[in-house]
Each structure stands twice: as C-alpha cells, then as structure tokens.
Amino acid sequence: MAQAKTGGCLCGGVTYDVRGELRPVVACHCHQCRKTSGHYVAATQAAQADVTIRGDTLRWFRSSDTAERGFCGNCGSNLFWRRHGNPYISIWAGTIDGQTGLRMESQIHTESAGDYYELPHMPVIDQSELS
Ligand SMILES: [Zn+2]
Ligand SMILES: [Zn+2]
C-alpha cells in the first residue's frame, strides 16, 4: 500500500489525504481546465474510496451534465474533478503537499491548447478525461 499523501488549497480551508495509489500525472489543455486554472491542468487520479476530503470552504461547480469541479470557495484553489458514477477522482497535482513522487507522462485535449505556450514533449492520449 502506498504511503498516504496529503494536500489542500492555498488558504488551508480544504485539505485531503489519499491512502491508495496515485496515477501518473496527465496534463489537460481543454477549454474548461484553461478557464478554471488560468493555464493548463496537471492532474493525478485516485479511487474516491481512498480519498478523504475535509473543509467547510469546499465548493463543487457543475461543469457539465456529468461532471463537477471542486475548488475552495475562500481562496479559489482548483483541487478536484469527478464524473458522476465514476469511482475515481482527479486531483490537481500542484495541490499535493511536499514531494509527490509522481511524473507527468501524458496529455489530453491538445487541440484546445493555448497559442502562447509550447506543448510538453509527452504522448497525447485521445481521451476526454477532464471535461
Ligand atoms: Zn482555500
Ligand atoms: Zn481539461
């Protein structure tokens, strides 16, 4: 079993811990990730059953008919994405405390990437994971 990882938002209002395995980090260049983060997103993923989230300032924004995005209503940090009925939750890698032990290995929605940056040199996965 992996060592538990902790994380949270900028103000500390939302914290979480993950007891299970974390997936390698995937970069998402989709329109929604660009808008909510101000750039592109780099997210790991874990089983929802392995994640405990705490904090009164956590808010969920319904970003589509099937998915929602978790953020801190106080400091505005983007933290999570989850699809209804999916047993996994995406966690923004930059919100993990300390050393993650993870690597960013692939990217999705490069067709929506901004024109002001070069795409990372990573494989592109054809997958609508973070919409
Ligand atoms: Zn916060
Ligand atoms: Zn996205």
Side-chain angles (χ1 to χ4, degrees):
M1 183 173 171
Q3 185 180 358
K5 295 238 178 355
T6 62
C9 68
L10 180 61
C11 77
V14 179
T15 60
Y16 62 84
D17 60 66
V18 183
R19 293 170 299 283
E21 295 292 333
L22 287 165
R23 185 200 63 187
V25 175
V26 175
C28 183
H29 304 270
C30 83
H31 177 78
Q32 291 194 3
C33 285
R34 288 179 53 192
K35 286 292 185 183
T36 56
S37 74
H39 192 35
Y40 64 85
V41 153
T44 181
Q45 199 171 70
Q48 295 208 46
D50 290 336
V51 181
T52 301
I53 302 171
R54 302 175 193 84
D56 293 339
T57 59
L58 179 65
R59 301 287 182 271
W60 290 97
F61 173 69
R62 179 72 65 91
S63 54
S64 73
D65 289 342
T66 58
E68 55 190 1
R69 291 166 176 268
F71 65 99
C72 175
N74 184 46
C75 70
S77 296
N78 297 184
L79 294 151
F80 309 113
W81 176 91
R82 65 186 180 189
R83 188 186 296 281
H84 304 308
N86 187 309
Y88 295 96
I89 182 169
S90 293
I91 301 170
W92 277 209
T95 67
I96 296 171
D97 299 328
Q99 298 293 312
T100 68
L102 301 172
R103 298 292 297 172
M104 189 163 74
E105 295 185 353
S106 58
Q107 56 191 331
I108 57 178
H109 290 306
T110 53
E111 76 283 355
S112 301
D115 63 0
Y116 63 93
Y117 59 88
E118 299 296 324
L119 290 176
H121 294 287
M122 302 186 301
V124 177
I125 299 174
D126 181 17
Q127 178 184 3
S128 58
E129 181 183 15
L130 298 174
S131 56

